[in-house]
């Protein structure tokens, strides 16, 4: 299996201007960091929260019919949980068990061009909660994009190399 190299920064649409959801990923599939410019759910405070993830064992480039399983260490910074709690948590760590399944290859037509693509599904299970993710990886282009997180669709606003 080919190892993963360059990082990509992707800005996703959230449907709530001026909300910004910018993520640094490996090949657009394995999130390494996430920055928000607005609060999310119970997270409140003046500093925008940021997340960092580390995958173990080493991740690989998605291949049709293959997968990846391991542990993801999650570090959240600059967070205050719940206005009523008023608990400032400058740094919070947890771990998730992760399973990514790379489904059979198919093709997609985008703007009149046909591309090979490998759909994928991921489940992250932690001590308090779990989350799911769907994505599509384009092997000829060398990157993927998240299409859904916890059942909610995503859209793309920007992408650049890190």
């Amino acid at each position: 299996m080919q190892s993963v190299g360059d990082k990509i920064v992707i800005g996703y649409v959230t449907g709530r201007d001026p909300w910004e959801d910018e993520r640094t990923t490996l090949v657009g599939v394995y999130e390494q960091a996430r920055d928000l410019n607005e609060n999310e759910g119970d997270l409140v405070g003046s500093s925008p929260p940021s997340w960092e993830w580390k995958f173990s064992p080493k991740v690989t480039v998605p291949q049709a019919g293959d997968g990846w399983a391991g542990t993801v260490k999650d570090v959240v910074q600059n967070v205050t949980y719940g206005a009523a709690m008023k608990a400032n948590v400058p740094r919070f760590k947890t771990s998730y068990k992760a399973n990514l399944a790379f489904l059979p290859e198919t093709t997609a037509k985008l703007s009149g061009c046909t591309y090979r693509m490998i759909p994928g599904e991921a489940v992250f299970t932690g001590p308090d909660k779990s989350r799911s993710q769907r994505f599509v990886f384009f092997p000829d282009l060398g990157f993927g994009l998240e299409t859904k997180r916890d059942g909610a669709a995503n859209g793309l606003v920007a992408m650049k190399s890190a």
Side-chain angles (χ1 to χ4, degrees), residues 8 25 28 49-50 92 113-115 121 141 146 150 157:
I8 302 169
T25 71
S50 66
F92 177 77
C113 298
T114 302
Y115 297 94
E121 298 175 345
L141 303 176
E146 180 182 87
D150 296 326
V157 292

Side-chain angles (χ1 to χ4, degrees), residues 106-125:
T106 186
T107 58
K109 196 170 215 173
L110 305 170
S111 297
C113 298
T114 302
Y115 297 94
R116 294 185 312 134
M117 63 179 226
I118 300 170
E121 298 175 345
V123 175
F124 302 89
T125 306

